[in-house]
Amino acid sequence: MTTVTTPDPQSEPPGRIMAREMAEQPAVLRRILDEGAPAIRQVAQEIAARAPRFVLLTARGTSDNAALYAKYLLEVRLGLPCGLTSMSTTTAYGARPDLSDVLVVAVSQSGGSPDLVASTRAAREAGALTLAVTNNPDSPLAGVSEYHVDIMAGPEKALPATKTYTASLLALYLFVEGLRGGDGAPAQVLPDLAAGLLARQDEVRALAARYRFAERMVITSRGYGYPTAKEAALKLMETSYIPALAYSGADLLHGPLAMVDNVSPVIAVVTDGKGGEALQPVLDRLRGRGADLVVVGPRSQVEQASAGFVLPTENVAEEVQPVLEIIPLQLLAYEVTLARGQDPDAPRALAKVTETH
């Protein structure tokens, strides 16, 4: 008689869920491009026909970083003024601004946070055109919004969001391209390039050895890379508990540069394009201060740093590079957390759906 035993999930290594979900990202990106793009384009065309005069983006946590990326896209690619909302003005203070002809985009993995739902409902009642971008078409947020975009990432069980972040970026990119009548063709390279980055985990593991005992980190970028810096800092803090401070390169020069020395590591996300060019004076200042500078970006920039990770940027449009930039930084958070003896699947004091009011 053969006895079949079911593996005990508790006996599996820490981080197995996060690792699996990071590995799913190329397939998720391909699914969005192959199956989700037509629906996203249709939503974009209908909204474009209504000619919103202004865009407000609403989100929390990782989704807030995705919303910031959308803000850059909307302002740079469309010249459409945008703002990031403060939900408490509606939910705590009861403000009811006139939102006629305003597009409100609410970005949320779960679509379940009460303040997102309440503020989106209030925005619609105030005359706004509302769009929910979620991983759950049946969520309360999707239900109160006039339009919905499904990021099609599939269930995400690890507490740190990984595949839902890159899926949100791609869905938002395709939405903005749809608003301007574009076909989103520059995004077609992303699934294969993402798979190539994930295959280089050994490089990231070696890089993680620099940060095992770090007491704090500074992460900086400019332009399209700035949301990547903020998301990388969030991932490092929520998984490894290392205080990680994210600054726009311009803001870093306005005071915080004083705390940078040759002990505290600095990670620079260098987008190949105008954002990277704008960051160059910051990189020069950091090198001048003897900072332990690690660059995630083009080879030419990595070669001038203390260490780094080379990104495939040749023939990759600047506006889609953030989908790739975050992947080695997700891996870095994962590897640093394991090196510090912690489980990235289950950060302390966190829940998958954060119910703020």
Side-chain angles (χ1 to χ4, degrees), residues 50-66:
R50 296 171 67 171
R53 61 182 170 85
F54 192 85
V55 180
L56 286 173
L57 296 139
T58 303
R60 297 280 192 203
T62 284
S63 294
D64 194 43
N65 298 327

Side-chain angles (χ1 to χ4, degrees), residues 201-238:
Q201 189 161 355
D202 287 348
E203 291 180 48
V204 179
R205 189 173 297 118
L207 198 59
R210 303 172 69 92
Y211 303 123
R212 182 176 180 181
F213 301 108
E215 295 184 2
R216 71 166 184 247
M217 294 186 197
V218 172
I219 307 176
T220 188
S221 188
R222 290 203 70 179
Y224 286 116
Y226 180 44
T228 306
K230 289 174 66 68
E231 174 62 10
L234 178 60
K235 283 291 154 284
L236 283 161
M237 287 189 287
E238 70 183 358

Side-chain angles (χ1 to χ4, degrees), residues 327-353:
I327 292 175
L329 294 165
Q330 291 172 344
L331 292 170
L332 181 65
Y334 172 85
E335 292 292 348
V336 168
T337 303
L338 291 180
R340 290 164 71 94
Q342 292 145 199
D343 184 355
D345 284 344
R348 64 193 180 207
L350 293 183
K352 189 61 179 171
V353 179

Side-chain angles (χ1 to χ4, degrees), residues 9 39 53-54 71 89 103 114 142 195 199 240 277 288 298 322 324 330 332-333 348:
R53 61 182 170 85
F54 192 85
K71 184 176 186 291
T89 61
L103 170 62
S240 69
E277 293 170 10
L324 303 175
Q330 291 172 344
L332 181 65
R348 64 193 180 207

